[in-house]
Amino acid sequence: MKKNIFKVTLICVLAVFSLESDAIENPMNKIKINEISATTEVFKVFGNCGMCKTTIESSLKNEKGIQSAIWDKETKMIEVTYDESKITLDEIKKKIAASGYDTEEFKAPDSAYNNLANCCKYDRKEGEKEGKSSCCSTGHNH
C-alpha cells in the first residue's frame, strides 16, 4: 500500500515538473500579460502654488493612457508617464491648457485662465493667442 502511494505521488510530482518545463520551453503555453508601453516626458507648465499642482495633475487624472503626472511648483516642470498608443503628448498639453495653465506650446483659453483662483494666476506672455504658441513666423508645429 505504501509503495502505491509513493508511486502515485512520484507520478504527480513528475507530471507537474513536466508541465512547468514545457511552459518554459514553449512560450505558447504561457499566459501573456499585457505589457504597457510607457513613455515619460518632462515639460514646463506655468503655475504658482499647491492649488495649481492639484488642478494641473487632476486635469490628467482620469485620462486614458495616463499612468502618472507630477508637477513641481518650484521648477514649473511636470513629469508625465503615458501610453503613446492611447494619448499623444500634444493631447496631454491641450488637456492641461484647458484647465487654465499654459505650456510652452499651448496657451490656455482666457476663460479657463480667468476662472483660476487669484493665487494661481501666473504672469502670461502678452500678445499670444489661445492654442498653439508661436515661436517664429515659419508656421511649423512643435
Side-chain angles (χ1 to χ4, degrees):
M1 184 75 161
K2 288 183 180 181
K3 287 183 180 181
N4 286 338
I5 294 173
F6 178 73
K7 286 180 183 177
V8 170
T9 304
L10 183 60
I11 290 171
C12 290
V13 168
L14 290 173
V16 168
F17 282 116
S18 169
L19 291 173
E20 286 182 12
S21 66
D22 186 44
I24 291 169
E25 292 172 13
N26 183 358
M28 296 304 290
N29 291 343
K30 290 184 177 180
I31 297 172
K32 290 193 173 191
I33 298 172
N34 289 336
E35 292 182 22
I36 298 173
S37 174
T39 300
T40 300
E41 295 284 345
V42 178
F43 56 92
K44 188 169 211 149
V45 178
F46 296 92
N48 296 323
C49 63
M51 192 183 309
C52 296
K53 178 179 177 62
T54 300
T55 305
I56 292 166
E57 292 173 359
S58 295
S59 71
L60 301 175
K61 186 176 182 180
N62 295 318
E63 291 299 320
K64 286 185 179 182
I66 301 293
Q67 295 171 10
S68 68
I70 303 167
W71 183 75
D72 184 295
K73 75 176 187 175
E74 301 303 321
T75 63
K76 314 289 188 229
M77 301 298 280
I78 190 167
E79 181 177 297
V80 182
T81 302
Y82 64 101
D83 181 345
E84 287 180 302
S85 69
K86 295 184 179 176
I87 192 166
T88 67
L89 184 57
D90 275 359
E91 289 171 326
I92 291 168
K93 291 177 180 181
K94 287 176 185 178
K95 296 283 182 189
I96 292 169
S99 71
Y101 296 90
D102 297 346
T103 68
E104 291 179 322
E105 294 82 9
F106 294 95
K107 185 176 179 191
D110 289 337
S111 58
Y113 175 81
N114 291 335
N115 284 332
L116 295 175
N118 285 333
C119 62
C120 295
K121 292 184 178 171
Y122 48 90
D123 291 331
R124 297 181 94 181
K125 294 180 183 176
E126 292 298 320
E128 287 186 359
K129 295 182 180 178
E130 295 175 12
K132 278 265 192 190
S133 296
S134 60
C135 69
C136 56
S137 60
T138 60
H140 66 273
N141 290 332
H142 294 262

